[in-house]
Amino acid sequence: MANVVVVGAQWGDEGKGKIVDWLSERADVIARFQGGHNAGHTLVIGGVTYKLSLLPSGIVRGGKLSVIGNGVVLDPWALLAEIDKLTAQGVAISPENLMIAENAPLILPIHGELDRARESQNAVAKIGTTGRGIGPAYEDKVGRRVIRVADLADPATLDLRIDRLMTHHNALRAGLGLEPVDRDALKAQLLEIAPKVLPFAAPVWKVMNEARRAGKRILFEGAQGSLLDVDFGTYPFVTSSTTTAGMAASGTGLGPTAIDFVLGIVKAYTTRVGEGPFPTELKDADGQRLGERGHEFGTVTGRKRRCGWFDAVLVRQTCATSGVSGIALTKLDVLDGFETLKICTGYELNGTVYDYLPTAADLQAKVTPIYETHEGWQESTVGARSWADLPAAAIKYVRRIEELIQCPVALLSTSPERDDTILVTDPFAG
Protein backbone atom coordinates (compact mmCIF):
# COMPACT_ATOMS: atom_id res chain seq x y z
CA MET A 1 0.00 0.00 0.00
CA ALA A 2 1.27 3.44 -0.95
CA ASN A 3 2.42 6.22 1.37
CA VAL A 4 1.56 9.70 0.13
CA VAL A 5 3.23 13.08 0.64
CA VAL A 6 1.10 16.20 0.20
CA VAL A 7 2.94 19.45 -0.49
CA GLY A 8 1.87 22.88 -1.63
CA ALA A 9 3.29 23.58 -5.08
CA GLN A 10 2.92 27.38 -4.99
CA TRP A 11 3.34 29.96 -2.19
CA GLY A 12 1.01 28.15 0.19
CA ASP A 13 -2.75 28.57 0.75
CA GLU A 14 -3.46 26.09 -2.07
CA GLY A 15 -6.13 24.16 -0.19
CA LYS A 16 -3.99 21.43 1.38
CA GLY A 17 -6.28 21.11 4.39
CA LYS A 18 -9.27 19.91 2.40
CA ILE A 19 -7.19 17.54 0.26
CA VAL A 20 -5.42 16.02 3.26
CA ASP A 21 -8.75 15.58 5.00
CA TRP A 22 -10.19 14.00 1.85
CA LEU A 23 -7.27 11.56 1.69
CA SER A 24 -7.07 10.95 5.45
CA GLU A 25 -10.25 8.88 5.40
CA ARG A 26 -8.17 6.10 3.84
CA ALA A 27 -4.96 6.72 5.77
CA ASP A 28 -3.99 5.19 9.10
CA VAL A 29 -1.33 7.74 10.09
CA ILE A 30 -1.25 11.45 9.22
CA ALA A 31 2.04 13.21 9.92
CA ARG A 32 3.13 16.86 9.88
CA PHE A 33 6.81 17.02 8.94
CA GLN A 34 7.90 20.71 8.86
CA GLY A 35 6.89 24.27 9.66
CA GLY A 36 5.17 25.52 12.77
CA HIS A 37 2.04 27.38 13.79
CA ASN A 38 2.59 29.86 10.97
CA ALA A 39 0.82 27.32 8.76
CA GLY A 40 -2.94 27.36 8.41
CA HIS A 41 -5.32 24.69 7.15
CA THR A 42 -9.07 25.17 6.94
CA LEU A 43 -11.36 22.14 6.84
CA VAL A 44 -15.11 22.24 6.17
CA ILE A 45 -16.81 19.02 7.25
CA GLY A 46 -20.55 18.68 7.36
CA GLY A 47 -20.93 22.43 7.45
CA VAL A 48 -18.54 22.78 10.40
CA THR A 49 -15.31 24.75 9.87
CA TYR A 50 -12.12 23.68 11.61
CA LYS A 51 -9.02 25.88 11.50
CA LEU A 52 -5.74 24.13 12.22
CA SER A 53 -2.19 25.44 12.54
CA LEU A 54 -0.08 22.78 14.24
CA LEU A 55 -2.30 19.74 14.42
CA PRO A 56 -2.38 17.42 11.40
CA SER A 57 -5.62 17.61 9.44
CA GLY A 58 -6.37 13.97 10.27
CA ILE A 59 -7.03 14.86 13.91
CA VAL A 60 -10.68 15.59 13.11
CA ARG A 61 -11.14 12.03 11.84
CA GLY A 62 -11.74 9.25 14.36
CA GLY A 63 -9.54 6.16 14.37
CA LYS A 64 -6.45 7.90 12.93
CA LEU A 65 -3.05 8.50 14.48
CA SER A 66 -1.88 12.09 14.06
CA VAL A 67 1.83 12.78 14.34
CA ILE A 68 3.88 15.96 14.75
CA GLY A 69 7.33 15.07 13.48
CA ASN A 70 10.80 16.25 14.43
CA GLY A 71 10.91 18.57 11.41
CA VAL A 72 8.21 20.76 12.99
CA VAL A 73 9.10 23.58 15.39
CA LEU A 74 6.55 23.35 18.19
CA ASP A 75 5.10 26.21 20.20
CA PRO A 76 3.68 24.22 23.15
CA TRP A 77 1.37 27.03 24.27
CA ALA A 78 -0.07 27.40 20.77
CA LEU A 79 -0.51 23.62 20.61
CA LEU A 80 -2.48 23.44 23.84
CA ALA A 81 -4.63 26.39 22.80
CA GLU A 82 -5.41 24.63 19.51
CA ILE A 83 -6.24 21.39 21.32
CA ASP A 84 -8.60 23.29 23.62
CA LYS A 85 -10.30 24.98 20.67
CA LEU A 86 -10.88 21.71 18.81
CA THR A 87 -11.98 19.93 21.97
CA ALA A 88 -14.66 22.62 22.35
CA GLN A 89 -15.80 21.72 18.82
CA GLY A 90 -16.23 18.11 19.85
CA VAL A 91 -12.92 16.68 18.58
CA ALA A 92 -11.41 14.09 20.95
CA ILE A 93 -7.63 14.52 21.34
CA SER A 94 -5.45 12.33 23.57
CA PRO A 95 -2.09 10.51 23.46
CA GLU A 96 -4.02 7.70 21.79
CA ASN A 97 -4.51 9.70 18.60
CA LEU A 98 -1.79 12.38 18.82
CA MET A 99 1.97 11.87 19.11
CA ILE A 100 4.73 14.48 19.19
CA ALA A 101 8.32 13.64 18.33
CA GLU A 102 10.53 13.68 21.41
CA ASN A 103 13.23 15.42 19.37
CA ALA A 104 10.95 18.18 18.07
CA PRO A 105 12.39 21.64 18.87
CA LEU A 106 10.36 24.10 20.90
CA ILE A 107 9.39 27.64 20.00
CA LEU A 108 9.70 29.79 23.13
CA PRO A 109 8.28 33.26 23.83
CA ILE A 110 11.77 34.69 23.27
CA HIS A 111 11.70 33.42 19.68
CA GLY A 112 8.56 35.38 18.89
CA GLU A 113 9.97 38.49 20.56
CA LEU A 114 13.16 38.23 18.52
CA ASP A 115 11.23 37.61 15.31
CA ARG A 116 9.05 40.68 15.75
CA ALA A 117 11.91 42.91 16.89
CA ARG A 118 13.97 42.05 13.82
CA GLU A 119 11.10 42.61 11.43
CA SER A 120 10.15 45.96 12.96
CA GLN A 121 13.74 47.21 12.85
CA ASN A 122 14.58 45.91 9.38
CA ALA A 123 14.74 49.07 7.28
CA VAL A 124 16.34 47.33 4.30
CA ALA A 125 13.77 44.76 3.18
CA LYS A 126 11.07 43.23 5.34
CA ILE A 127 10.64 39.47 4.89
CA GLY A 128 6.96 39.51 5.86
CA THR A 129 7.18 36.89 8.61
CA THR A 130 4.22 36.05 10.82
CA GLY A 131 6.27 37.09 13.86
CA ARG A 132 5.61 33.78 15.60
CA GLY A 133 9.22 32.79 16.19
CA ILE A 134 9.49 30.12 13.50
CA GLY A 135 12.75 31.39 11.98
CA PRO A 136 14.59 32.02 15.28
CA ALA A 137 13.60 28.55 16.53
CA TYR A 138 15.03 26.91 13.40
CA GLU A 139 18.17 29.02 13.83
CA ASP A 140 18.60 27.68 17.35
CA LYS A 141 18.03 24.13 16.13
CA VAL A 142 20.81 24.44 13.57
CA GLY A 143 22.96 26.28 16.14
CA ARG A 144 22.58 23.27 18.50
CA ARG A 145 21.12 25.28 21.34
CA VAL A 146 17.38 24.67 21.01
CA ILE A 147 15.27 23.12 23.76
CA ARG A 148 13.54 19.94 22.57
CA VAL A 149 10.42 18.20 23.83
CA ALA A 150 12.40 15.47 25.63
CA ASP A 151 14.32 18.10 27.61
CA LEU A 152 11.13 19.03 29.44
CA ALA A 153 11.28 15.72 31.31
CA ASP A 154 14.60 16.47 33.05
CA PRO A 155 15.04 19.75 34.97
CA ALA A 156 18.84 19.31 35.09
CA THR A 157 19.10 19.00 31.32
CA LEU A 158 16.65 21.86 30.95
CA ASP A 159 18.95 24.08 33.04
CA LEU A 160 21.87 23.37 30.71
CA ARG A 161 19.78 24.04 27.61
CA ILE A 162 18.44 27.33 29.00
CA ASP A 163 21.92 28.55 29.94
CA ARG A 164 23.27 27.82 26.47
CA LEU A 165 20.27 29.55 24.93
CA MET A 166 20.62 32.62 27.16
CA THR A 167 24.25 33.16 26.20
CA HIS A 168 23.20 33.56 22.58
CA HIS A 169 19.87 35.33 22.94
CA ASN A 170 20.88 37.93 25.51
CA ALA A 171 23.65 39.12 23.20
CA LEU A 172 21.15 39.40 20.34
CA ARG A 173 18.60 41.17 22.51
CA ALA A 174 21.17 43.71 23.68
CA GLY A 175 21.91 44.58 20.07
CA LEU A 176 18.19 45.08 19.39
CA GLY A 177 17.61 47.15 22.52
CA LEU A 178 15.61 44.45 24.30
CA GLU A 179 15.80 43.59 27.97
CA PRO A 180 17.68 40.39 28.93
CA VAL A 181 15.62 37.24 29.21
CA ASP A 182 14.16 36.52 32.62
CA ARG A 183 15.72 33.09 33.00
CA ASP A 184 13.77 32.03 36.07
CA ALA A 185 10.46 33.05 34.53
CA LEU A 186 11.24 31.13 31.36
CA LYS A 187 12.15 27.99 33.29
CA ALA A 188 8.99 28.29 35.37
CA GLN A 189 6.90 28.56 32.19
CA LEU A 190 8.51 25.44 30.76
CA LEU A 191 8.12 23.41 33.94
CA GLU A 192 4.48 24.44 34.15
CA ILE A 193 3.70 23.33 30.61
CA ALA A 194 5.85 20.16 30.66
CA PRO A 195 3.25 17.82 32.23
CA LYS A 196 0.68 18.94 29.66
CA VAL A 197 2.95 18.25 26.67
CA LEU A 198 4.99 15.22 27.73
CA PRO A 199 2.10 12.72 27.65
CA PHE A 200 2.04 13.20 23.87
CA ALA A 201 5.82 12.73 23.45
CA ALA A 202 7.00 9.56 21.71
CA PRO A 203 9.86 8.18 19.57
CA VAL A 204 7.97 9.10 16.40
CA TRP A 205 10.65 7.69 14.09
CA LYS A 206 10.13 4.27 15.72
CA VAL A 207 6.34 4.46 15.64
CA MET A 208 6.38 5.52 11.99
CA ASN A 209 8.73 2.73 10.93
CA GLU A 210 6.65 0.15 12.78
CA ALA A 211 3.51 1.46 11.11
CA ARG A 212 5.17 1.17 7.71
CA ARG A 213 6.30 -2.40 8.36
CA ALA A 214 2.77 -3.26 9.48
CA GLY A 215 1.43 -2.10 6.11
CA LYS A 216 -0.27 1.01 7.47
CA ARG A 217 -1.05 3.81 5.03
CA ILE A 218 0.85 6.97 5.91
CA LEU A 219 -0.12 10.45 4.78
CA PHE A 220 2.61 13.09 5.12
CA GLU A 221 1.22 16.61 5.44
CA GLY A 222 3.36 19.58 4.40
CA ALA A 223 2.85 23.19 5.41
CA GLN A 224 3.35 26.43 3.46
CA GLY A 225 4.31 25.96 -0.20
CA SER A 226 7.30 24.84 -2.23
CA LEU A 227 7.99 28.40 -3.41
CA LEU A 228 8.66 29.29 0.25
CA ASP A 229 11.34 26.60 0.55
CA VAL A 230 14.51 27.89 2.17
CA ASP A 231 16.59 26.52 -0.72
CA PHE A 232 14.32 26.58 -3.78
CA GLY A 233 11.93 29.39 -2.91
CA THR A 234 12.10 33.09 -3.70
CA TYR A 235 14.92 33.68 -1.19
CA PRO A 236 15.10 35.57 1.15
CA PHE A 237 11.29 35.91 1.08
CA VAL A 238 10.87 32.32 2.23
CA THR A 239 10.14 30.33 5.36
CA SER A 240 12.93 28.79 7.45
CA SER A 241 12.30 25.13 6.67
CA THR A 242 12.42 22.77 3.73
CA THR A 243 8.92 22.70 2.27
CA THR A 244 9.56 20.26 -0.58
CA ALA A 245 8.60 16.59 -0.44
CA GLY A 246 12.04 15.33 0.55
CA MET A 247 11.51 16.77 4.03
CA ALA A 248 8.75 14.23 4.69
CA ALA A 249 11.42 11.57 5.20
CA SER A 250 13.88 13.48 7.38
CA GLY A 251 11.11 15.37 9.20
CA THR A 252 9.56 12.18 10.59
CA GLY A 253 12.44 9.72 10.77
CA LEU A 254 11.49 7.58 7.79
CA GLY A 255 13.81 7.00 4.85
CA PRO A 256 13.03 8.32 1.35
CA THR A 257 12.07 4.83 0.19
CA ALA A 258 8.92 5.18 2.33
CA ILE A 259 7.49 7.73 -0.12
CA ASP A 260 5.43 6.20 -2.93
CA PHE A 261 3.41 9.14 -4.29
CA VAL A 262 3.90 12.91 -4.08
CA LEU A 263 0.74 14.96 -4.50
CA GLY A 264 1.33 18.64 -5.25
CA ILE A 265 -1.55 20.96 -4.35
CA VAL A 266 -2.01 23.68 -6.96
CA LYS A 267 -4.53 26.50 -7.03
CA ALA A 268 -6.11 27.26 -10.44
CA TYR A 269 -4.64 30.75 -10.15
CA THR A 270 -1.78 32.11 -8.01
CA THR A 271 -1.69 33.83 -4.62
CA ARG A 272 0.97 34.99 -2.23
CA VAL A 273 0.96 36.42 1.31
CA GLY A 274 3.67 38.83 2.42
CA GLU A 275 6.64 40.29 0.62
CA GLY A 276 8.65 38.98 -2.32
CA PRO A 277 8.53 38.67 -6.11
CA PHE A 278 5.26 37.67 -7.79
CA PRO A 279 5.57 37.82 -11.61
CA THR A 280 1.87 37.29 -12.43
CA GLU A 281 0.43 39.51 -9.68
CA LEU A 282 -2.67 41.47 -10.71
CA LYS A 283 -3.33 44.85 -9.16
CA ASP A 284 -6.42 45.51 -11.26
CA ALA A 285 -10.08 44.53 -11.22
CA ASP A 286 -9.25 40.91 -12.15
CA GLY A 287 -6.93 40.59 -9.15
CA GLN A 288 -9.59 42.09 -6.89
CA ARG A 289 -12.17 39.70 -8.28
CA LEU A 290 -9.95 36.67 -7.67
CA GLY A 291 -9.36 37.76 -4.09
CA GLU A 292 -13.01 38.38 -3.34
CA ARG A 293 -14.33 35.22 -4.99
CA GLY A 294 -11.58 33.06 -3.52
CA HIS A 295 -11.90 34.57 -0.01
CA GLU A 296 -8.18 35.14 -0.08
CA PHE A 297 -7.28 35.92 3.50
CA GLY A 298 -4.68 33.99 5.51
CA THR A 299 -6.04 31.31 7.88
CA VAL A 300 -3.47 32.18 10.56
CA THR A 301 -2.77 35.89 10.06
CA GLY A 302 -5.92 37.14 8.34
CA ARG A 303 -3.67 39.02 5.93
CA LYS A 304 -5.05 39.70 2.46
CA ARG A 305 -3.39 37.55 -0.18
CA ARG A 306 -1.97 38.97 -3.37
CA CYS A 307 -3.62 37.38 -6.42
CA GLY A 308 -2.57 36.74 -10.01
CA TRP A 309 -2.92 34.50 -13.04
CA PHE A 310 -1.75 30.89 -13.03
CA ASP A 311 2.04 30.68 -13.33
CA ALA A 312 2.89 27.42 -15.11
CA VAL A 313 6.61 28.17 -15.00
CA LEU A 314 6.74 28.18 -11.21
CA VAL A 315 4.54 25.13 -10.81
CA ARG A 316 6.65 23.20 -13.31
CA GLN A 317 9.69 24.04 -11.16
CA THR A 318 8.07 22.91 -7.92
CA CYS A 319 6.82 19.71 -9.51
CA ALA A 320 10.45 18.99 -10.40
CA THR A 321 12.02 19.89 -7.04
CA SER A 322 9.45 17.85 -5.09
CA GLY A 323 9.26 14.97 -7.56
CA VAL A 324 5.49 15.46 -7.83
CA SER A 325 3.64 12.39 -9.15
CA GLY A 326 0.36 14.22 -9.75
CA ILE A 327 -1.32 17.47 -8.76
CA ALA A 328 -4.55 18.29 -6.98
CA LEU A 329 -5.98 21.35 -8.72
CA THR A 330 -8.09 23.44 -6.36
CA LYS A 331 -10.41 26.46 -6.54
CA LEU A 332 -11.29 25.99 -10.20
CA ASP A 333 -14.72 27.39 -9.34
CA VAL A 334 -13.20 30.80 -8.51
CA LEU A 335 -12.55 31.25 -12.24
CA ASP A 336 -16.23 30.78 -13.16
CA GLY A 337 -17.57 33.77 -15.11
CA PHE A 338 -14.29 35.21 -16.41
CA GLU A 339 -14.51 36.07 -20.11
CA THR A 340 -10.83 35.27 -20.63
CA LEU A 341 -8.10 33.67 -18.53
CA LYS A 342 -4.33 33.92 -18.80
CA ILE A 343 -1.57 31.41 -18.08
CA CYS A 344 2.07 32.40 -17.70
CA THR A 345 4.26 30.22 -19.95
CA GLY A 346 7.62 31.96 -19.56
CA TYR A 347 9.41 35.17 -18.58
CA GLU A 348 11.17 37.90 -20.52
CA LEU A 349 13.96 40.12 -19.26
CA ASN A 350 16.08 42.42 -21.41
CA GLY A 351 15.32 40.44 -24.52
CA THR A 352 16.09 37.06 -22.94
CA VAL A 353 13.31 34.48 -22.50
CA TYR A 354 13.42 32.25 -19.42
CA ASP A 355 11.55 28.98 -18.97
CA TYR A 356 12.29 29.05 -15.22
CA LEU A 357 12.45 31.70 -12.51
CA PRO A 358 16.06 32.87 -12.19
CA THR A 359 17.71 32.37 -8.80
CA ALA A 360 19.13 35.89 -8.44
CA ALA A 361 16.76 38.11 -6.43
CA ASP A 362 17.25 41.15 -8.68
CA LEU A 363 16.27 39.11 -11.76
CA GLN A 364 13.25 37.61 -10.02
CA ALA A 365 11.97 41.09 -9.25
CA LYS A 366 12.36 42.31 -12.85
CA VAL A 367 11.06 39.49 -15.05
CA THR A 368 7.94 40.12 -17.15
CA PRO A 369 5.48 37.23 -17.58
CA ILE A 370 4.74 35.86 -21.04
CA TYR A 371 1.06 34.96 -21.28
CA GLU A 372 -1.19 32.87 -23.43
CA THR A 373 -4.89 33.71 -23.33
CA HIS A 374 -7.68 31.16 -22.89
CA GLU A 375 -11.42 31.36 -23.27
CA GLY A 376 -13.25 31.42 -19.95
CA TRP A 377 -16.56 29.78 -19.11
CA GLN A 378 -19.84 31.19 -17.82
CA GLU A 379 -21.26 27.96 -16.37
CA SER A 380 -20.72 27.07 -12.71
CA THR A 381 -18.18 24.42 -11.76
CA VAL A 382 -19.09 24.54 -8.06
CA GLY A 383 -19.69 21.06 -6.68
CA ALA A 384 -18.69 19.22 -9.86
CA ARG A 385 -17.82 15.60 -9.09
CA SER A 386 -17.05 14.27 -12.59
CA TRP A 387 -15.50 15.53 -15.80
CA ALA A 388 -18.96 15.43 -17.37
CA ASP A 389 -20.06 18.15 -14.92
CA LEU A 390 -17.40 20.59 -16.18
CA PRO A 391 -17.76 23.08 -19.06
CA ALA A 392 -15.66 22.25 -22.12
CA ALA A 393 -13.60 25.43 -21.69
CA ALA A 394 -12.78 24.47 -18.10
CA ILE A 395 -11.58 21.03 -19.19
CA LYS A 396 -9.45 22.64 -21.89
CA TYR A 397 -7.92 24.99 -19.29
CA VAL A 398 -7.06 22.08 -17.00
CA ARG A 399 -5.56 20.04 -19.83
CA ARG A 400 -3.37 22.96 -20.88
CA ILE A 401 -2.09 23.30 -17.32
CA GLU A 402 -1.11 19.62 -17.35
CA GLU A 403 0.85 20.13 -20.57
CA LEU A 404 2.68 23.21 -19.34
CA ILE A 405 3.65 21.89 -15.90
CA GLN A 406 4.53 18.45 -17.32
CA CYS A 407 2.53 16.71 -14.61
CA PRO A 408 -0.94 15.13 -14.64
CA VAL A 409 -3.94 16.15 -12.57
CA ALA A 410 -4.72 13.45 -10.00
CA LEU A 411 -7.51 15.29 -8.17
CA LEU A 412 -9.70 18.25 -9.02
CA SER A 413 -11.40 20.24 -6.25
CA THR A 414 -14.49 22.33 -7.03
CA SER A 415 -15.51 23.68 -3.61
CA PRO A 416 -14.32 23.69 0.02
CA GLU A 417 -16.59 20.69 0.76
CA ARG A 418 -14.52 17.51 0.93
CA ASP A 419 -16.82 15.45 -1.35
CA ASP A 420 -16.78 18.01 -4.16
CA THR A 421 -13.71 16.36 -5.64
CA ILE A 422 -13.04 14.62 -8.94
CA LEU A 423 -10.67 11.67 -8.53
CA VAL A 424 -8.55 10.98 -11.60
CA THR A 425 -5.70 8.97 -10.06
CA ASP A 426 -5.79 7.39 -6.62
CA PRO A 427 -2.56 8.41 -4.81
CA PHE A 428 -2.90 5.49 -2.41
CA ALA A 429 -2.90 3.01 -5.31
CA GLY A 430 0.85 3.63 -5.60
Side-chain angles (χ1 to χ4, degrees):
M1 287 184 275
N3 297 322
V4 179
V5 178
V6 175
V7 292
Q10 293 161 307
W11 275 296
D13 310 309
E14 303 95 347
K16 292 183 293 296
K18 170 197 166 167
I19 300 300
V20 170
D21 174 62
W22 192 87
L23 291 169
S24 68
E25 190 170 45
R26 298 176 58 206
D28 302 298
V29 181
I30 299 92
R32 270 284 307 274
F33 58 85
Q34 51 77 219
H37 65 307
N38 55 342
H41 293 170
T42 300
L43 311 180
V44 181
I45 304 171
V48 180
T49 299
Y50 302 92
K51 295 194 174 185
L52 310 177
S53 293
L54 269 170
L55 293 169
S57 297
I59 198 71
V60 299
R61 295 276 161 204
K64 314 292 180 183
L65 174 62
S66 289
V67 169
I68 296 176
N70 55 277
V72 174
V73 281
L74 180 77
D75 182 323
W77 296 275
L79 172 70
L80 294 176
E82 191 170 326
I83 289 174
D84 288 344
K85 181 179 69 175
L86 287 184
T87 300
Q89 290 186 277
V91 179
I93 301 174
S94 73
E96 296 299 313
N97 66 346
L98 175 65
M99 286 187 182
I100 302 170
E102 294 173 323
N103 53 338
L106 298 180
I107 298 176
L108 308 178
I110 59 174
H111 292 128
E113 292 169 10
L114 178 60
D115 203 358
R116 294 186 291 274
R118 282 174 170 171
E119 189 77 351
S120 66
Q121 296 184 27
N122 189 354
V124 180
K126 293 186 183 299
I127 301 299
T129 75
T130 59
R132 295 175 177 237
I134 311 298
Y138 274 118
E139 289 176 38
D140 283 343
K141 175 183 177 178
V142 175
R144 294 166 293 183
R145 56 182 169 264
V146 81
I147 294 171
R148 305 198 294 180
V149 171
D151 298 331
L152 296 175
D154 180 18
T157 298
L158 190 59
D159 275 329
L160 294 174
R161 297 285 188 267
I162 292 175
D163 288 341
R164 181 172 174 79
L165 201 61
M166 293 308 93
T167 300
H168 178 78
H169 275 264
N170 281 333
L172 286 178
R173 293 170 71 91
L176 290 167
L178 300 176
E179 292 294 321
V181 176
D182 186 332
R183 185 194 186 284
D184 292 338
L186 175 60
K187 183 179 180 182
Q189 286 179 293
L190 290 169
L191 290 177
E192 179 187 14
I193 205 160
K196 302 174 185 177
V197 174
L198 286 172
F200 298 100
V204 158
W205 67 269
K206 184 174 183 293
V207 173
M208 295 284 282
N209 275 278
E210 289 172 350
R212 184 192 176 199
R213 284 197 299 272
K216 303 289 187 182
R217 284 176 168 166
I218 302 172
L219 187 60
F220 300 90
E221 179 180 0
Q224 290 96 28
S226 297
L227 292 171
L228 294 175
D229 184 83
V230 70
D231 289 310
F232 294 105
T234 47
Y235 191 90
F237 303 100
V238 294
T239 194
S240 298
S241 63
T242 296
T243 59
T244 51
M247 186 64 185
S250 58
T252 58
L254 280 174
T257 55
I259 299 171
D260 301 299
F261 193 100
V262 178
L263 184 67
I265 315 300
V266 179
K267 198 177 290 186
Y269 50 101
T270 310
T271 63
R272 176 166 200 169
V273 171
E275 307 297 326
F278 186 170
T280 66
E281 183 175 10
L282 296 171
K283 298 181 180 180
D284 58 10
D286 285 333
Q288 182 75 12
R289 185 178 180 184
L290 287 171
E292 290 174 353
R293 295 201 60 189
H295 306 291
E296 296 297 351
F297 295 91
T299 300
V300 171
T301 64
R303 290 185 293 179
K304 184 178 180 181
R305 297 176 187 138
R306 300 152 65 190
C307 298
W309 296 123
F310 186 84
D311 193 329
V313 182
L314 289 179
V315 176
R316 184 169 62 243
Q317 284 183 217
T318 57
C319 284
T321 55
S322 272
V324 172
S325 312
I327 68 165
L329 191 66
T330 67
K331 289 201 167 184
L332 183 68
D333 55 296
V334 173
L335 302 181
D336 293 353
F338 278 86
E339 292 291 334
T340 59
L341 302 168
K342 292 183 179 181
I343 299 177
C344 175
T345 60
Y347 307 121
E348 188 275 333
L349 179 62
N350 298 327
T352 299
V353 174
Y354 292 86
D355 62 355
Y356 66 99
L357 185 65
T359 301
D362 63 322
L363 299 183
Q364 290 182 350
K366 295 175 182 176
V367 295
T368 300
I370 299 170
Y371 287 118
E372 61 180 33
T373 302
H374 291 260
E375 178 187 358
W377 53 90
Q378 301 310 305
E379 306 95 320
S380 173
T381 63
V382 176
R385 298 186 182 183
S386 72
W387 287 108
D389 295 332
L390 297 176
I395 295 174
K396 185 176 179 181
Y397 180 79
V398 173
R399 294 305 187 200
R400 183 55 178 156
I401 284 176
E402 289 181 311
E403 293 174 0
L404 290 170
I405 68 173
Q406 300 172 1
C407 191
V409 169
L411 297 168
L412 189 64
S413 171
T414 56
S415 93
E417 291 292 340
R418 69 189 300 272
D419 292 329
D420 291 340
T421 305
I422 299 171
L423 177 63
V424 181
T425 301
D426 183 358
F428 278 120

